[in-house]
C-alpha cells in the first residue's frame, strides 16, 4: 500500500447493497467461501482472507459514477468482474492506496465520461506522482486504477 494525498474510493455502500442482490449485468449475486484468499476486494480495498464469504459480481464503475454526475460516457461505459464481500463489511481500514504492489494502469476520464488517456505504473512509489500528473490536467475528473493482467477495475480516485 502507498500513502498519498489522493484517496482510493471503494465501491459505494449503496451500490454494494444493490450488487449483493443483482449485479450490473442483471445476474443474481452468488456467494462462495474463498478457500485460498488473495482476491482484491473492492468493498474494503484489501486482499481477501481464506474462509471469507465473497461474491464475484459484474460492476459498471463509469455507469455508476455517471448516474451521480449526469455524465454520458457512451461507448466508454463498460462492466467487468469484481470481488466483494458477500455480506456488508466495514469498508477500508485507512486512506492508503491499495493494490500498488503490481503493475497498474491509471485510466483518466473527463467530466463527460470520456477516456483522456492512461498511464502504466510499475512501482508503488510512482503512484502519487502519476495521480498528481493526472489531476494536473484540469480536464481530468476521475481516475480508474486497473489491474494490467486482466484489466479489472480496482478503485477510483476523484478530483478533490
Amino acid at each position: 500500500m502507498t500513502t498519498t494525498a489522493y484517496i482510493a474510493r471503494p465501491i459505494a455502500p449503496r451500490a454494494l447493497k444493490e450488487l449483493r442482490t443483482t449485479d450490473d449485468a442483471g445476474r443474481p449475486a452468488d456467494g462462495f467461501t474463498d478457500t485460498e484468499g488473495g482476491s482484491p476486494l473492492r468493498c474494503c480495498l484489501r486482499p481477501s482472507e481464506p474462509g471469507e464469504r465473497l461474491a464475484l459480481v459484474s460492476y459498471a464503475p463509469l455507469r455508476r459514477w455517471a448516474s451521480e454526475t449526469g455524465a454520458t460516457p457512451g461507448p466508454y461505459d463498460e462492466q467487468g468482474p469484481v470481488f466483494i464481500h458477500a455480506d456488508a463489511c466495514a469498508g477500508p481500514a485507512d486512506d492508503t492506496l491499495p493494490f500498488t504492489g503490481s503493475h497498474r494502469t491509471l485510466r483518466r476520464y473527463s467530466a463527460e465520461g470520456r477516456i483522456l488517456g492512461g498511464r502504466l505504473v510499475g512501482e508503488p512509489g510512482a503512484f502519487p506522482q502519476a495521480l498528481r500528473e493526472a489531476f494536473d490536467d484540469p480536464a481530468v475528473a476521475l481516475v480508474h486504477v486497473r489491474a494490467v493482467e486482466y484489466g479489472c477495475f480496482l478503485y477510483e480516485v476523484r478530483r478533490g
Side-chain angles (χ1 to χ4, degrees):
M1 293 196 181
T2 300
T3 302
T4 179
Y6 299 100
I7 298 173
R9 296 175 59 104
I11 297 174
R14 179 179 171 192
L16 288 166
K17 184 177 180 181
E18 294 168 0
L19 292 168
R20 288 182 177 114
T21 301
T22 304
D23 72 11
D24 285 346
R27 291 185 289 269
D30 189 19
F32 65 94
T33 300
D34 186 356
T35 58
E36 297 179 19
S39 297
L41 295 167
R42 280 41 163 238
C43 49
C44 54
L45 301 181
R46 66 167 175 82
S48 65
E49 296 178 9
E52 288 186 291
R53 293 277 304 152
L54 308 182
L56 181 60
V57 298
S58 185
Y59 177 60
L62 200 58
R63 182 183 317 153
R64 295 268 183 171
W65 171 78
S67 71
E68 294 174 20
T69 64
T72 54
Y76 296 105
D77 177 25
E78 60 184 335
Q79 61 191 29
V82 295
F83 289 100
I84 60 174
H85 278 114
D87 299 303
C89 68
D94 55 39
D95 288 343
T96 57
L97 291 177
F99 311 125
T100 60
S102 297
H103 285 83
R104 302 292 180 221
T105 298
L106 275 60
R107 191 182 296 169
R108 304 170 185 186
Y109 292 91
S110 71
E112 294 77 30
R114 304 295 192 260
I115 293 176
L116 296 176
R119 176 174 173 187
L120 179 65
V121 179
E123 298 297 322
F127 273 77
Q129 178 64 29
L131 286 166
R132 191 169 27 260
E133 288 173 6
F135 289 114
D136 278 350
D137 179 348
V140 173
L142 174 76
V143 173
H144 282 180
V145 177
R146 293 178 171 262
V148 170
E149 59 273 65
Y150 298 108
C152 297
F153 170 85
L154 292 168
Y155 56 88
E156 69 181 36
V157 178
R158 294 185 185 183
R159 180 176 294 286

